[in-house]
Amino acid sequence: MTDAEDSPGAASPVAFKDMCSCLSGGARGRVGFHGERQDVSAPGWRRLLELVEEAADDGREEFRPLTDLPPQERRQIVTLPAGIGKLTAVKHLMLYGSNLVRIPPEIGAMTSLEEFTPYTSYRLHWFPYEITRCQNLTRSTVSTRALFGNFKFRPPFPQLQPPPGTAMGLEADSLDPRRWGTTAVASCSVCDGPVEPGRLQQRWISLRVATDVLPLLVSACSPACVAALPAGAPDCFPTAHTGGRAGRVDETESAED
């Protein structure tokens, strides 16, 4: 299924984002990561790279990249480029109605970020732990009913791969997103140090980020970094966990959209 948007002069609507039914099973459902990989040859992706460079060069404080893309190109974007880490002047990141399935951890380098708006991006079910590095982030507008662990539907979290050694022999920049949630782990979510694939430790944790309680994926380099994680938000799973049935949240404080 797709959402559609009327295109002037077109005989039929133009699809601009895909839909998913990941959370339709509620508390008894089976959830997993989206497995889409970004098509880096797509026109929309190439244009997005240009927009990131333009924003980095002119030091703009608001970044609305998807509004500059036609509907068919917006649909081609399933993640953001790592280059968003260069947008250190951006205070508001607007991703309203996107087709995104993941946000890269480089968002943590957007040190001026004050407002984050991925509202109605219904395929975004989680966020990288690195977003907690955005110390100035105080406002967010997130469709919380689309999140893993939300209190409306009480879905479980995807079961993470059991450490250690399950990533042994893999390249850290060519991971299967259906298993790991991401295609690459460049550095530890906690200490920012290097991560050896065979030592990769992933955990879920729910924390209040700006306005909302968000499910965050941690990719850590060691058990010590996992142990350094804070307690979960009130009324959420109290500690970092590996998902599955044990990671189901009964209540959260997030306001529903």
Side-chain angles (χ1 to χ4, degrees):
M1 296 177 61
T2 60
D3 278 355
E5 178 173 275
D6 289 330
S7 178
S12 60
V14 177
F16 73 94
K17 63 178 178 179
D18 300 298
M19 301 297 289
C20 73
S21 56
C22 292
L23 307 189
S24 60
R28 298 183 180 276
R30 296 182 65 184
V31 296
F33 291 114
H34 280 276
E36 294 96 323
R37 293 178 181 270
Q38 179 61 55
D39 179 359
V40 296
S41 68
W45 178 256
R46 295 199 301 268
R47 178 57 181 149
L48 178 59
L49 294 178
E50 293 173 354
L51 292 171
V52 169
E53 292 302 319
E54 291 172 9
D57 289 343
D58 64 29
R60 71 188 66 176
E61 295 186 353
E62 184 172 65
F63 189 45
R64 297 171 171 255
L66 303 181
T67 61
D68 291 323
L69 300 178
Q72 63 272 23
E73 292 188 5
R74 291 205 300 272
R75 187 183 179 191
Q76 296 168 354
I77 306 302
V78 299
T79 187
L80 298 178
I84 63 169
K86 296 187 290 186
L87 304 183
T88 55
V90 169
K91 295 182 178 181
H92 184 195
L93 178 58
M94 167 62 79
L95 300 171
Y96 183 93
S98 78
N99 200 37
L100 296 171
V101 299
R102 64 186 70 92
I103 298 288
E106 285 80 8
I107 192 173
M110 298 179 67
T111 52
S112 296
L113 193 63
E114 298 176 357
E115 185 171 2
F116 180 47
T117 310
Y119 192 58
T120 70
S121 296
Y122 293 122
R123 302 206 304 157
L124 269 181
H125 306 312
W126 60 276
F127 298 89
Y129 181 78
E130 285 83 348
I131 198 172
T132 62
R133 298 176 186 173
C134 299
Q135 296 296 311
N136 295 316
L137 183 56
T138 57
R139 298 185 301 278
S140 59
T141 309
V142 178
S143 294
T144 54
R145 282 179 289 185
L147 302 180
F148 294 138
N150 75 78
F151 84 88
K152 181 69 174 180
F153 302 114
R154 297 186 173 91
F157 291 73
Q159 180 71 56
L160 298 176
Q161 301 299 313
T166 50
M168 189 70 72
L170 298 177
E171 296 294 332
D173 59 353
S174 60
L175 300 175
D176 180 356
R178 290 191 183 277
R179 294 185 64 195
W180 306 98
T182 182
T183 58
V185 175
S187 59
C188 177
S189 299
V190 182
C191 73
D192 205 29
V195 180
E196 297 177 17
R199 293 176 57 83
L200 176 60
Q201 313 258 327
Q202 287 192 311
R203 295 291 190 277
W204 290 112
I205 191 166
S206 296
L207 297 175
R208 180 169 291 281
V209 177
T211 313
D212 301 286
V213 171
L214 302 181
L216 306 177
L217 180 62
V218 179
S219 294
C221 67
S222 65
C225 280
V226 171
L229 292 169
D235 299 319
C236 294
F237 203 77
T239 60
H241 58 90
T242 57
R245 305 301 301 172
R248 182 172 64 84
V249 175
D250 291 322
E251 297 289 342
T252 72
E253 295 181 344
S254 297
E256 287 302 301
D257 60 358

